[in-house]
């Protein structure tokens, strides 16, 4: 096989390995303080990674504006994407494990002290004229001891959670794009093979 073809094949293989590595999603890293779940990093929402914090307050204060005339400052802008985010909390973050009973004991979730349920509110922007309020709060996640986790939909644009014992906001932000260590390793290995092929070609050329 000609040298150029070998280089092209090797580069294609290296790129494929890097893409495979990037597509492999590790479990989120939970943010825990004194046994309380305060959020997570690297939550997979529809194939994209997000960080999330559980915080108390009002929608206006946390998202700059939550009114029909306001500007959209939400991480998710459709009901479908906000639903995916809410479900991702149930599937990836609020789980019972050796780190804590974050499913069966709602009281160990940030913003919640009630033992029956805990709701994380993920708001989204809804365009006017769809039959709902312009800013609809989506993703009221109830977690109770019976295990009946579910995603509920609200239409309360500026809910106050500070005084509530069982609700808080899920503040989402896109996760920083940091290559996985495995990607670096494969890239270095690919470059090393390229160097070896180049040296071999030079040696063969000198021998002739």
């Amino acid at each position: 096989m000609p040298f150029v073809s070998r280089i092209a094949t090797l580069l294609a293989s290296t790129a494929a390995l890097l893409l495979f590595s990037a597509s492999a999603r590790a479990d989120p890293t939970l943010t825990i303080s004194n046994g309380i779940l305060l959020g997570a990093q690297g939550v997979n929402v529809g194939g994209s990674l997000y960080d999330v914090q559980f915080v108390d307050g009002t929608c206006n204060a946390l998202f700059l504006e939550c009114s029909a005339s306001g500007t959209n400052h939400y991480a998710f802008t459709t009901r479908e994407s906000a639903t995916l985010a809410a479900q991702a909390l149930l599937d990836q973050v609020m789980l019972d494990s050796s780190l804590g009973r974050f499913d069966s004991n709602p009281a160990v979730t940030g913003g919640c002290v009630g033992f029956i349920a805990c709701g994380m509110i993920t708001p989204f922007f809804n365009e006017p004229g769809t039959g709902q309020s312009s800013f609809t709060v989506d993703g009221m996640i109830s977690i109770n001891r019976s295990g009946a986790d579910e995603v509920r939909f609200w239409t309360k644009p500026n809910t106050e959670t500070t005084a509530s014992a069982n609700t808080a906001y899920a503040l989402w932000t896109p996760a920083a794009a940091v290559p996985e260590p495995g990607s670096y390793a494969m890239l270095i290995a690919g470059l090393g093979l390229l160097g070896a092929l180049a040296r071999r070609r030079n040696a063969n050329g000198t021998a002739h």
Side-chain angles (χ1 to χ4, degrees):
M1 180 183 295
F3 178 76
V4 174
S5 297
R6 286 184 294 175
I7 291 295
T9 301
L10 182 57
L11 286 174
S13 299
T14 303
L17 287 173
L18 288 173
L19 288 174
F20 177 80
S21 176
S23 65
R25 304 295 185 180
D27 293 333
T29 301
L30 303 186
T31 304
I32 303 171
S33 178
N34 297 322
I36 304 298
L37 178 64
L38 301 179
Q41 295 179 324
V43 182
N44 188 343
V45 180
S48 298
L49 296 184
Y50 288 84
D51 298 336
V52 62
Q53 294 177 302
F54 303 145
V55 293
D56 273 320
T58 65
C59 191
N60 276 343
L62 295 171
F63 300 95
L64 302 184
E65 186 80 34
C66 290
S67 65
S69 61
T71 303
N72 175 21
H73 295 286
Y74 301 133
F76 305 103
T77 57
T78 64
R79 176 167 174 158
E80 291 75 16
S81 60
T83 300
L84 286 176
Q87 191 63 48
L89 291 181
L90 290 180
D91 296 340
Q92 304 172 44
V93 178
M94 294 178 172
L95 304 173
D96 287 346
S97 70
S98 59
L99 299 176
R101 308 293 290 178
F102 302 127
D103 180 18
S104 58
N105 183 8
V108 295
T109 302
C112 298
V113 296
F115 290 94
I116 302 302
C118 180
M120 293 295 109
I121 304 171
T122 298
F124 73 99
F125 179 72
N126 187 32
E127 292 289 350
T130 60
Q132 301 181 40
S133 61
S134 295
F135 283 77
T136 301
V137 175
D138 183 3
M140 170 63 183
I141 303 177
S142 294
I143 299 177
N144 55 50
R145 291 183 181 275
S146 66
D149 302 338
E150 59 184 336
V151 175
R152 299 178 183 177
F153 305 101
W154 285 11
T155 54
K156 299 179 180 179
N158 194 30
T159 299
E160 166 65 67
T161 67
T162 304
S164 174
N166 59 1
T167 56
Y169 279 103
L171 185 59
W172 296 88
T173 54
V178 178
E180 300 174 1
S183 298
Y184 282 123
M186 282 185 287
L187 179 59
I188 292 172
L191 292 175
L193 287 173
L194 284 174
L197 282 175
R199 287 192 298 271
R200 182 175 178 182
R201 179 173 179 269
N202 289 336
N204 290 338
T206 301
H208 291 294

